Amino acid sequence: MRIFEFSKLENCDLIIDAIYEGGNKGNVGDDPINKILPVGNQGGFRYAGSLNSLKYIILYTSGENIDWPDTIDTETGIFQYYGDNKKPGHELHDTKKNGNTILKNLFESLHSNESPRAKIPPIFIFKKHPTQNSNRSVQFKGLCVPGTTNKNQLEDLVAIWKTTNGLRFQNYSAFFTILNIAKISRKWLDNLDKRFIDTEVEPLIFNQWKKNGRYSPLTSQKTVSIRTINEQLPDNKIEWKLLEAIFEYFSSEPILFEYLAAEIYRMTDSKIIIDEVTRGTIDGGRDAIGRIKLGLNDDPIFAEFAIEAKCYNPGVLNKKINTVGVKEVSRIISRIRNRQFGILVTTSAIAKQAYDEVRTDGHPIIFISGKDIVKILLEKGINTIPILKEYLNENFKKQSE
């Protein structure tokens, strides 16, 4: 992975996934983004120019905000970014950095009938990536534009409600496409800052999108489709606490976890239908069965699936991790029928050998691990221990209580 030193940032190009080191003096001057492009040294939204005439925009994400989990799908080139109204007490567009106003203006220009995209400047994505030399270092993730090919104007920018301490407020969820541009030249960056137009140094794909709106996303195929055990478990203390609470709740009645497993998978797609949680009494011992709707609403088809749930210890409560092994995975493989697929949901992780055999042999099995469970619940606003416990108590009542 290429690393650009802090002292050389003012003259560097931007290269996909390269690291741009911050300083190490321990103050805001350590920020590397402001040395690459003069946009200030704080905040998720940074821009040059005025709101009505932007030169360029920087979208910075730490990737650590569990309430507002910005995500980059490297396989599809889609970037989901949340606005900057992240606390109650303010109207949707009443933010210090004007981030939500910028989002509104970007998508209005995208969908305008007159000169669409004309007011959309280049948008650069940076993600927090601490290095040994500096905690302020960042990684360049690409040049993006608002919208995607698979979301219409009712879906690409949505104001969503959330609740914090009983107080309701709105924030934006926005979808961008990272363009298939591997390198941004320093000359173009300098031209942008001077408002100098030179189509010879402007990336061709960006120029074409501005003219005709045709998306050319930076897609990539994973060379390894097996997640390590660590990649299947939480990234931070808050997520670990939530997973621990889930395991502790169901450990005394693990059969009850089958209902949560079915609900977790249902949460991932509005087209999923859970037909029955079987409780091991019918249909070959599968824990739940259901269908996913495919095709047109007027003439759909349904693909059937079976769910296997494993409430295993992910390494909490002073116990060792108990992973899902070959035996358990073989069980669901043997019980899915022709033209069906399977989902294995666990509070823990899938062992390497079991994971490898499923992917190598091409079995149609979806793995949802402890980290995935927490992420799915976070997206639904279940983001604190009290909210989680209330959700579990209301929806998965224990027989012993």
Side-chain angles (χ1 to χ4, degrees):
M1 190 178 297
R2 186 168 183 181
I3 298 178
F4 288 87
E5 297 177 7
F6 184 66
S7 61
K8 299 179 180 179
L9 298 186
E10 293 175 345
N11 299 310
C12 69
D13 300 321
L14 291 179
I15 298 174
I16 288 290
D17 286 346
I19 307 301
Y20 297 82
E21 285 200 310
N24 51 22
K25 292 184 178 180
N27 55 45
V28 294
D30 291 339
D31 179 76
I33 298 175
N34 193 50
K35 292 198 70 175
I36 299 170
L37 288 167
V39 288
N41 49 33
Q42 289 182 317
F45 279 94
R46 310 182 195 185
Y47 60 92
S50 65
L51 287 180
N52 295 323
S53 181
L54 293 167
K55 297 178 183 179
Y56 47 81
I57 297 170
I58 302 292
L59 297 181
Y60 169 77
T61 177
S62 68
E64 298 173 350
N65 191 324
I66 64 172
D67 291 331
W68 306 99
D70 303 329
T71 56
I72 297 175
D73 189 333
T74 55
E75 292 189 78
T76 63
I78 302 303
F79 176 43
Q80 182 180 14
Y81 190 76
Y82 289 94
D84 59 352
N85 191 39
K86 296 180 177 179
K87 294 181 180 179
H90 298 276
E91 185 268 333
L92 178 61
H93 302 102
D94 178 22
T95 62
K96 290 183 178 180
K97 298 292 184 178
N98 295 308
N100 281 359
T101 298
I102 291 172
L103 287 177
K104 178 176 72 71
N105 293 342
L106 288 175
F107 284 85
E108 283 182 352
S109 179
L110 175 67
H111 300 300
S112 173
N113 291 325
E114 297 181 6
S115 302
R117 303 173 299 281
K119 295 183 179 180
I120 298 176
I123 306 168
F124 303 101
I125 306 170
F126 288 89
K127 185 176 181 181
K128 182 179 179 180
H129 196 289
T131 60
Q132 186 174 358
N133 291 333
S134 175
N135 191 52
R136 298 292 295 270
S137 300
V138 297
Q139 184 177 41
F140 177 59
K141 303 306 293 184
L143 170 65
C144 73
V145 293
T148 72
T149 56
N150 62 353
K151 291 188 179 296
N152 61 39
Q153 64 186 69
L154 300 178
E155 302 169 321
D156 53 18
L157 181 69
V158 180
I160 57 177
W161 286 96
K162 279 207 175 184
T163 302
T164 296
N165 297 324
L167 301 175
R168 295 165 294 177
F169 64 105
Q170 282 184 300
N171 195 17
Y172 277 131
S173 168
F175 287 88
F176 295 84
T177 297
I178 300 174
L179 296 179
N180 187 12
I181 301 170
K183 177 182 176 181
I184 304 295
S185 72
R186 166 49 56 181
K187 187 172 183 180
W188 189 49
L189 296 177
D190 291 340
N191 286 347
L192 290 174
D193 199 48
K194 299 172 183 175
R195 294 190 185 275
F196 179 70
I197 299 175
D198 183 354
T199 55
E200 291 187 3
V201 296
E202 182 179 62
L204 178 61
I205 288 178
F206 178 72
N207 181 277
Q208 291 176 337
W209 178 83
K210 289 278 287 187
K211 289 180 178 179
N212 56 40
R214 186 178 298 115
Y215 291 97
S216 298
L218 176 58
T219 60
S220 61
Q221 185 174 355
K222 288 185 178 179
T223 56
V224 179
S225 58
I226 300 171
R227 293 185 292 175
T228 66
I229 290 175
N230 285 339
E231 288 172 336
Q232 299 175 63
L233 295 173
D235 298 320
N236 55 63
K237 292 181 180 179
I238 296 176
E239 292 180 3
W240 268 113
K241 287 293 184 183
L242 293 170
L243 183 58
E244 180 179 7
I246 293 169
F247 173 73
E248 189 173 13
Y249 184 87
F250 290 103
S251 59
S252 60
E253 295 186 30
I255 292 179
L256 193 61
F257 178 65
E258 297 169 6
Y259 288 93
L260 176 65
E263 180 63 13
I264 286 293
Y265 183 55
R266 189 197 64 77
M267 287 180 181
T268 64
D269 195 317
S270 61
K271 295 181 180 180
I272 290 172
I273 303 166
I274 301 297
D275 289 317
E276 189 171 4
V277 178
T278 62
R279 298 294 297 271
T281 59
I282 62 169
D283 208 33
R286 295 174 293 181
D287 294 333
I289 53 177
R291 299 163 289 149
I292 183 168
K293 183 180 178 181
L294 304 173
L296 302 175
N297 287 330
D298 292 338
D299 187 23
I301 62 172
F302 293 88
E304 297 181 348
F305 58 80
I307 297 175
E308 187 86 7
K310 296 296 178 186
C311 185
Y312 284 5
N313 194 321
V316 297
L317 305 176
N318 298 317
K319 299 289 184 180
K320 291 183 178 180
I321 184 174
N322 181 16
T323 57
V324 177
V326 173
K327 181 180 178 180
E328 295 94 328
V329 172
S330 298
R331 169 182 165 124
I332 189 170
I333 291 173
S334 67
R335 291 179 177 176
I336 58 174
R337 300 169 180 171
N338 184 36
R339 298 180 182 176
Q340 290 185 333
F341 64 98
I343 304 98
L344 197 153
V345 184
T346 179
T347 48
S348 183
I350 312 299
K352 182 180 184 302
Q353 182 181 353
Y355 215 133
D356 184 54
E357 289 184 7
V358 167
R359 294 294 180 254
T360 301
D361 295 339
H363 294 295
I365 305 296
I366 296 170
F367 290 132
I368 298 179
S369 65
K371 176 181 179 178
D372 304 319
I373 292 173
V374 173
K375 294 288 189 184
I376 292 166
L377 291 174
L378 288 172
E379 290 179 359
K380 299 300 180 181
I382 304 171
N383 53 14
T384 67
I385 295 297
I387 294 175
L388 173 63
K389 289 184 176 179
E390 181 181 1
Y391 168 75
L392 296 177
N393 286 323
E394 288 183 357
N395 294 278
F396 309 99
K397 194 71 175 178
K398 291 183 179 180
Q399 294 182 356
S400 58
E401 294 180 354

